Amino acid sequence: MKTIEMTVNGERVQALVEPRTHLADFLRDHQRLTGTHLGCEHGVCGACTVLIDGQPARACITYAVQCEGSEVRTIEGFEDDALMNELRAAFSREHALQCGFCTPGMLIAARDLVLRLPGAHERRIREEMSGNLCRCTGYVGIVHAVASVVQARGASNETPVAQAPTASSAPRFTPVEDRAEEKRQSASPVGAGTRIEDEVIVKHPLERVWAAFADMPGVAACLPGAEITESAGSSVKGRITVKFGPMRAAFAGAAALERDEAAKRGVIRGAGQDALSSSRARGDITYSLSDAGGGSTRIALGIDYSLQGPLAQFSRGGLVKEFVGRMVAEFAANLDRRLAAGTLAPPPAAQLDAGKVFWKWLWSRIKAIFKLRRRAL
Ligand code: FES
Ligand code: FES
């Protein structure tokens, strides 16, 4: 058993819990805050969504001990929140709930959306809310309710309440009815999804690395879980497989490469769908190469992606950063091996198991918590 302390809805709480207790059980059983619902308990349905340090998170896949010292806000903690009250009224007005089981999670996700994306149009609202499932299938009412709040706030030019926008990639404000903007965002391969940046250095000269990056099948062979099924010039078709604990996703789709020889910069634009979960992904991988000295090359990577469907919950948070960081490190190591061997056709890279990344990440978080507490004693 472990004593933990955190702030829940503005109040400091302390409790003795088993390390395996997840945050949703802690809130429901220890704090009697039963507004946080449990549906799938696999991080898929979003019923258990709460705010942890201002960010929406799945309480069912977050251990309570991970929240040591954090600020947790549940649906019960929004009584005096103007925006939440607007959303509640809109949900009632637009018939956005039937049994109401998904509603607490929907409201918390919707509030975050309105704060981050004050100009979100209907398509974007559907995309952003796709990580919250309603078993009564009342999505039209939910989308209308959120859109009406976005629109009303845009019309009154009201500034967001209580919380600053969190996504660095939040787009500029545009009214809901701005169809030109909707078209522009729809035409963009990624829209305003999640952006992750990383950098690696490989011990090979710039020109050699640049030449290797022109070979799409070769680049794909360095990416864990990627496989090319068709290749024609700078365009390829293929799939990338990742495992996330009990979930396995295989995104099949197409990608195209654009290169700027003078700037030594390129972008791979791709989109794919996982048939099993019906999740869709779109992404741009931008790379920029520069001389790192001593015959080495610096590869600056920018990864912009958006996920729709049941896997959309993996769009945010430190976990996905950890996963991408590990993927980039494996890519660099494979590229390094490939360049050292001087072969254009290395064996396909092994699939990356995000489940292992999850446990590694979780273990590092738990160790950090205990280390912090020891220092405090
Ligand atoms: Fe947590 Fe479904 S109960 S995501
Ligand atoms: Fe019943 Fe959404 S209203 S699950």
Side-chain angles (χ1 to χ4, degrees), residues 206 209-210 213 263-265 287-291 297-300:
L206 177 60
V209 179
W210 177 246
F213 267 76
K264 294 283 183 285
R265 216 176 280 138
Y287 58 86
S288 177
L289 309 187
S290 58
D291 192 347
T297 303
R298 175 176 291 103
I299 308 170

Side-chain angles (χ1 to χ4, degrees), residues 127-315:
E127 201 171 298
E128 288 281 324
M129 297 297 291
S130 63
N132 286 70
L133 306 182
C134 173
R135 289 153 186 82
C136 302
T137 65
Y139 296 109
V140 171
I142 291 165
V143 173
H144 284 173
V146 179
S148 72
V149 172
V150 170
Q151 201 159 20
R153 290 204 146 232
S156 67
N157 210 14
E158 209 169 325
T159 47
V161 292
Q163 179 185 326
T166 51
S168 57
S169 56
R172 67 181 176 80
F173 173 79
T174 47
V176 154
E177 63 270 42
D178 186 344
R179 294 297 163 198
E181 175 63 7
E182 174 167 351
K183 220 167 148 198
R184 189 190 69 72
Q185 284 191 21
S186 307
S188 157
V190 184
T194 304
R195 181 172 176 84
I196 291 177
E197 289 177 353
D198 213 331
E199 194 177 280
V200 282
I201 291 183
V202 288
K203 288 184 182 145
H204 299 278
L206 177 60
E207 287 304 330
R208 188 122 191 267
V209 179
W210 177 246
F213 267 76
D215 169 25
M216 286 279 275
V219 169
C222 297
L223 260 180
E227 186 192 335
I228 300 282
T229 52
E230 262 181 71
S231 174
S234 59
S235 298
V236 292
K237 284 188 181 165
R239 72 176 68 86
I240 184 156
T241 306
V242 290
K243 262 181 75 192
F244 205 101
M247 291 158 73
R248 182 176 173 276
F251 288 94
L257 170 67
E258 295 165 20
R259 306 223 315 160
D260 180 340
E261 181 75 42
K264 294 283 183 285
R265 216 176 280 138
V267 56
I268 301 168
R269 301 189 196 282
Q273 177 151 6
D274 172 42
L276 204 62
S277 67
S278 294
S279 296
R280 292 183 301 283
R282 287 180 294 173
D284 287 355
I285 301 175
T286 311
Y287 58 86
S288 177
L289 309 187
S290 58
D291 192 347
S296 296
T297 303
R298 175 176 291 103
I299 308 170
L301 288 162
I303 301 163
D304 295 87
Y305 70 94
S306 69
L307 279 169
Q308 284 176 273
L311 296 177
Q313 74 269 17
F314 299 122
S315 288

Side-chain angles (χ1 to χ4, degrees), residues 66-87:
Q66 286 176 267
C67 301
E68 172 74 33
S70 293
E71 304 240 353
V72 175
R73 200 168 178 189
T74 70
I75 193 66
E76 292 91 344
F78 290 95
E79 284 308 306
D80 302 322
D81 186 272
L83 174 52
M84 187 59 93
N85 289 334
E86 285 171 43
L87 283 163

Side-chain angles (χ1 to χ4, degrees), residues 24 37-49 58-61 101 131 135 313:
H37 291 169
L38 280 166
C40 64
E41 292 196 66
H42 274 77
V44 174
C45 73
C48 63
T49 305
R58 307 295 211 218
C60 73
I61 51 170
F101 193 81
R135 289 153 186 82
Q313 74 269 17

Side-chain angles (χ1 to χ4, degrees), residues 294-374:
S296 296
T297 303
R298 175 176 291 103
I299 308 170
L301 288 162
I303 301 163
D304 295 87
Y305 70 94
S306 69
L307 279 169
Q308 284 176 273
L311 296 177
Q313 74 269 17
F314 299 122
S315 288
R316 296 191 189 122
L319 178 56
V320 80
K321 288 201 174 123
E322 174 85 20
F323 176 68
V324 171
R326 166 116 176 251
M327 199 148 188
V328 168
E330 289 203 16
F331 171 77
N334 290 333
L335 182 70
D336 194 51
R337 272 198 290 277
R338 173 174 175 248
L339 290 169
T343 169
L344 292 177
Q351 175 186 309
L352 184 62
D353 186 342
K356 285 186 194 146
V357 177
F358 172 74
W359 291 115
K360 191 173 151 247
W361 171 80
L362 180 59
W363 185 234
S364 69
R365 293 278 317 256
I366 290 173
K367 277 201 297 197
I369 289 164
F370 282 97
K371 214 182 280 169
L372 273 176
R373 283 188 62 80
R374 264 209 304 277

